[in-house]
Amino acid sequence: MKRPLIAVWILLLFAVATTAQAPSAPGAPTDAERLFLRGLTKYNKREFLDAALLWKSALEKDIHHEKTKEFMEQAFAKYDAMQKSFFGGVKYYNSSDIAGAIRELKSCLVVNPRHREALYYLKLCYQKQRIATTVEDLERKFVADAGSIPAPVI
């Protein structure tokens, strides 16, 4: 009876030992730094909400992490501006103000040229104006015209 009990204890100790986190090596990036860098990657892909949420998580891990709060606020501001332009464009489209819709949707696409819904509504606007195009053509045009948003300076 003692042998099975000893085996259970050994397995339990092994499980605890393998799940315990090893202390990080000196100079290795912290969790906050890893989240911060992942946020930069998302920001550069113009995925502003994802970047801001990663930076928010980085701040939860390390409230004193340099520049993270500033970058997070910047990403949330870009996301809000993009969404405001998009929903403004939809509002104009639904009220049959196609010129206003195009203006707002293009503003959204300046911030994120791959915003699929904005591209879709812009396509509908162009179709109403009898300008034949596809969502893929619009995406290529806006990605090529937009260049790149400069990454936040570290």
Side-chain angles (χ1 to χ4, degrees):
M1 185 81 177
K2 281 191 173 190
R3 284 188 183 194
L5 190 57
I6 291 173
V8 169
W9 275 105
I10 290 173
L11 286 174
L12 183 62
L13 287 173
F14 179 75
V16 169
T18 57
T19 58
Q21 290 186 356
S24 59
T30 64
D31 286 343
E33 290 168 343
R34 280 192 289 277
L35 289 167
F36 178 76
L37 293 173
R38 285 179 53 205
L40 280 178
T41 300
K42 292 289 187 179
Y43 184 92
N44 288 330
K45 291 180 181 178
R46 300 174 189 237
E47 297 172 8
F48 301 115
L49 182 59
D50 292 340
L53 293 174
L54 283 166
W55 288 331
K56 184 176 185 238
S57 295
L59 283 173
E60 289 169 357
K61 300 256 184 211
D62 180 1
I63 192 73
H64 301 294
H65 194 265
E66 293 180 36
K67 295 191 179 184
T68 303
K69 184 176 181 183
E70 176 187 333
F71 289 5
M72 179 184 69
E73 290 170 356
Q74 183 180 1
F76 273 131
K78 284 191 179 283
Y79 177 78
D80 289 343
M82 179 182 66
Q83 291 300 92
K84 181 180 177 188
S85 294
F86 170 69
F87 286 114
V90 171
K91 180 180 173 185
Y92 282 123
Y93 178 82
N94 289 334
S95 67
S96 298
D97 181 353
I98 301 305
I102 290 172
R103 183 183 62 250
E104 289 295 318
L105 293 167
K106 282 184 173 182
S107 286
C108 174
L109 291 167
V110 165
V111 178
N112 182 1
R114 289 184 175 91
H115 193 290
R116 299 299 289 176
E117 293 87 3
L119 289 166
Y120 174 76
Y121 273 97
L122 190 58
K123 174 188 169 192
L124 294 178
C125 290
Y126 286 157
Q127 286 175 343
K128 281 195 176 211
Q129 291 185 334
R130 306 231 189 276
I131 300 171
T133 189
T134 66
V135 172
E136 291 77 20
D137 291 338
L138 288 171
E139 184 176 13
R140 276 192 295 278
K141 177 190 179 334
F142 278 95
V143 169
D145 291 348
S148 63
I149 292 178
V153 178
I154 298 176

